[in-house]
Amino acid sequence: MFQKCDLAKEVQEIMLPNEKFIVAYKTFRDSVTFTSKRIIFRDSQGITGKKVEVYSLPYNSIFMWSTENAGKLMDLNAELELWTRVGKIKIKLDKKINIREIDQLIAQVVLSE
């Protein structure tokens, strides 16, 4: 599950000069970062986690999205699903995260184009 974090070095290195950091979430080794232009996924691989794959999803490739808040008892996480040109991406987030804040963020960047 993802929790809020600072901007990862690998992500900062690939950001454009006019691209602004909005918010980032991380698990133990991976992170997802929202910028003013895209969502950047950082995936640590291997036992040591030194091999890192970074991939980007431009907001203009998102056709639809859904968010689900965590329930009270047995539900351990909130979820964000993105329908894109390449398929569906599901991100599980910590239940303490304000999922409506993320919903509003995606609406702002996707619908304002």
Side-chain angles (χ1 to χ4, degrees):
M1 283 179 282
F2 286 87
Q3 298 177 326
K4 275 191 178 180
C5 68
D6 294 327
L7 181 61
K9 179 183 157 211
E10 292 89 356
V11 174
Q12 187 173 16
E13 290 172 349
I14 65 166
M15 288 177 61
L16 300 171
N18 65 342
E19 189 171 9
K20 294 179 178 35
F21 169 75
I22 298 173
V23 68
Y25 300 94
K26 70 173 183 159
T27 63
F28 179 65
R29 295 171 17 145
D30 303 330
S31 69
V32 60
T33 302
F34 293 85
T35 74
S36 56
K37 299 190 176 290
R38 57 188 161 162
I39 302 172
I40 303 170
F41 300 88
R42 182 186 173 281
D43 180 17
S44 297
Q45 301 175 353
I47 294 172
T48 62
K50 290 187 181 196
K51 180 178 178 181
V52 176
E53 178 181 15
V54 178
Y55 54 100
S56 298
L57 176 67
Y59 291 124
N60 64 3
S61 67
I62 298 173
F63 294 115
M64 186 175 104
W65 70 93
S66 70
T67 56
E68 180 181 301
N69 64 324
K72 294 249 184 210
L73 297 174
M74 300 301 280
D75 207 358
L76 300 176
N77 55 38
E79 293 180 357
L80 167 65
E81 284 187 90
L82 305 168
W83 282 262
T84 72
R85 293 179 189 160
V86 296
K88 185 168 75 167
I89 299 170
K90 183 183 270 192
I91 303 168
K92 293 181 185 263
L93 299 162
D94 189 283
K95 69 179 181 179
K96 297 174 192 158
I97 290 173
N98 182 350
I99 194 71
R100 298 301 166 232
E101 186 177 285
I102 294 172
D103 200 0
Q104 192 172 45
L105 166 65
I106 292 180
Q108 184 176 27
V109 293
V110 171
L111 301 176
S112 66
E113 293 186 53

